[in-house]
Amino acid sequence: MIHAWHRDLWARLVATDGRRAHAILLAGLPGQGKRVFAEAYAGHVLCSAPGADGFACGVCSGCRLRLSGNHPDLRRLIPEADQTEAVETTSSSKTKPSTQIVIDQVRQLREQLTVTGHQSGERVVIIDPPEAMNGNTANALLKLLEEPPEHTVFVLVSSAPRRLLPTIRSRCQQWDFGRPDPAAALDWLKETMGSADPQLLALTGGMPLAAAQLAGSDGAAMRQRFVDDVSRIGRKDPIMLAGDWEAWLRSKEAVAADFDLPRLADWMLRWTWDLCATMLGAQARYFPDCQPQFDRCSAGGDRAVMLDCYNAMVQIRRVIKHPLNPRLLLEDMLLRYARAVSRPGGRS
């Protein structure tokens, strides 16, 4: 079942059944339930008697096969690392499951789609996320979209649609997922988690599923440590803080919470965005409870310098998953920020 904040979008999508596109692109920020939506839509397409609201009946043969995980006409193209039944590495092998959708997966899919659907009806291929492809794999997928097999619907689930080939995007009907209503998101968190932390919801950009995941991994404590540390930059040596953060990321608590360098870089990027927004007369979005700190830090600060710092954080975030030295990345990130906020009138 889809989430409540997607019902309007769902109604508009299922209303297009008479002119259904062969490929749709579900685009929006992560953490709001696009995967759930994609699975529900697959159920709608494969169900022999969907209800008036478009949801699968749950009792026909197609629904029973899908719910058991054995529907032959439902294919999923996802990275090996995201597969729940990924083959575990042995002690003699250090190969980690791939975080990319590889070209062999697309080739195998093409072969599978040459066979007529087992249920003699529609087939659905969920690709999640399509941006997890290199150029060769993306071009192989493009050939499938250019000459799609009959009675096949491709559902692409993307959190970064601009990273897709323009030719792939042009062959999809795009459906944009807006930011959920904050009140609805908080209500869902209260119902699901028993409580709702508006600060975690703000930190995740208003994405309720991401906020729930963060809350379930002691995210409030990690957020508080981050705020305390970054607020002291200018009074504490950023090189020393980089060492502290490197040890933090290696701690058992951080590893158990899946708190890694990319997430820490995300937080640093969002903190810098809030500071830039304050300098330009707007309000903090991701750390609204820290507005007084942003006000003090931005008073008389150099907007151009801080905007340059933000752009540098964007570039660092883009390469954060590359096999680079984590300590050097942390030092570079914190030194850039320290220089920006230590200008006259802009000290933390």
Side-chain angles (χ1 to χ4, degrees):
M1 186 65 69
I2 65 171
H3 295 291
W5 49 86
H6 292 154
R7 288 192 177 275
D8 289 344
L9 183 62
W10 173 266
R12 288 189 285 117
L13 177 57
V14 298
T16 66
D17 276 354
R19 53 189 189 283
R20 180 183 297 156
H22 75 275
I24 65 171
L25 172 60
L26 308 181
L29 294 173
Q32 57 177 304
K34 296 191 302 299
R35 289 183 179 182
V36 173
F37 191 99
E39 292 289 344
Y41 187 65
H44 165 79
V45 173
L46 297 172
C47 179
S48 60
D53 55 6
F55 295 114
C57 70
V59 296
C60 69
S61 61
C63 284
R64 291 198 302 270
L65 284 169
R66 179 180 57 83
L67 293 173
S68 67
N70 297 312
H71 201 300
D73 294 331
L74 175 57
R75 305 288 179 179
R76 296 179 181 85
L77 211 59
I78 60 178
E80 183 185 0
D82 291 345
Q83 296 175 17
T84 56
E85 298 180 359
V87 178
E88 295 184 1
T89 56
T90 64
S91 58
S92 61
S93 174
K94 295 183 179 180
T95 303
K96 294 183 178 180
S98 175
T99 58
Q100 296 284 307
I101 295 174
V102 298
I103 194 168
D104 285 345
Q105 291 175 273
V106 179
R107 288 171 177 166
Q108 183 181 20
L109 174 65
R110 184 188 301 119
E111 293 179 2
Q112 293 168 341
L113 293 179
T114 60
V115 180
T116 303
H118 291 73
Q119 296 291 303
S120 301
E122 300 284 349
R123 294 178 295 189
V124 179
V125 179
I126 296 177
I127 306 173
D128 182 15
E131 59 266 23
M133 298 183 182
N134 61 26
N136 291 333
T137 307
N139 281 317
L141 173 64
L142 177 60
K143 291 180 181 179
L144 269 178
L145 297 180
E146 287 176 335
E147 299 179 4
E150 291 185 351
H151 308 297
T152 301
V153 180
F154 293 87
V155 181
L156 285 67
V157 184
S158 177
S159 296
R162 292 185 180 181
R163 289 172 52 190
L164 302 179
L165 291 177
T167 44
I168 287 182
R169 292 202 310 268
S170 68
R171 283 162 175 78
C172 299
Q173 184 183 76
Q174 182 165 329
W175 295 82
D176 294 317
F177 286 64
R179 197 179 305 274
D181 176 72
L186 285 172
D187 288 343
W188 180 85
L189 285 169
K190 291 176 183 177
E191 181 180 348
T192 305
M193 307 289 295
S195 62
D197 188 338
Q199 306 307 338
L200 293 183
L201 185 63
L203 178 56
T204 58
M207 301 295 110
L209 272 70
Q213 182 183 26
L214 191 56
S217 58
D218 202 20
M222 291 189 294
R223 177 189 181 278
Q224 188 58 53
R225 172 172 177 171
F226 172 83
V227 169
D228 291 342
D229 285 346
V230 77
S231 297
R232 287 196 293 266
I233 294 178
R235 300 191 300 272
K236 181 175 181 177
D237 183 359
I239 300 297
M240 292 182 61
L241 181 55
D244 292 344
W245 278 8
E246 184 182 29
W248 182 20
L249 293 173
R250 291 178 177 176
S251 67
K252 292 181 179 179
E253 295 78 12
V255 172
D258 198 26
F259 184 69
D260 54 10
L261 184 56
R263 179 173 292 187
L264 183 57
D266 277 338
W267 289 11
M268 195 68 200
L269 179 63
R270 293 177 183 192
W271 178 273
T272 310
W273 190 98
D274 276 354
L275 184 50
C276 288
T278 300
M279 284 185 166
L280 295 172
Q283 296 295 308
R285 173 188 294 177
Y286 301 107
F287 296 89
D289 59 321
C290 299
Q291 188 66 55
Q293 295 161 254
F294 294 130
D295 290 337
R296 289 194 300 270
C297 188
S298 64
D302 191 320
R303 296 178 181 177
V305 170
M306 188 52 64
L307 288 171
D308 285 344
C309 177
Y310 173 78
N311 289 330
M313 297 296 170
V314 171
Q315 296 303 319
I316 290 172
R317 181 60 186 89
R318 286 177 178 171
V319 301
I320 208 73
K321 290 186 177 182
H322 290 205
L324 303 174
N325 187 307
R327 178 63 177 271
L328 292 179
L329 280 173
L330 286 169
E331 290 180 358
D332 183 34
M333 181 170 65
L334 294 173
L335 282 169
R336 288 176 183 273
Y337 180 78
R339 286 194 292 266
V341 299
S342 296
R343 291 297 180 92
R347 189 176 301 277
S348 293

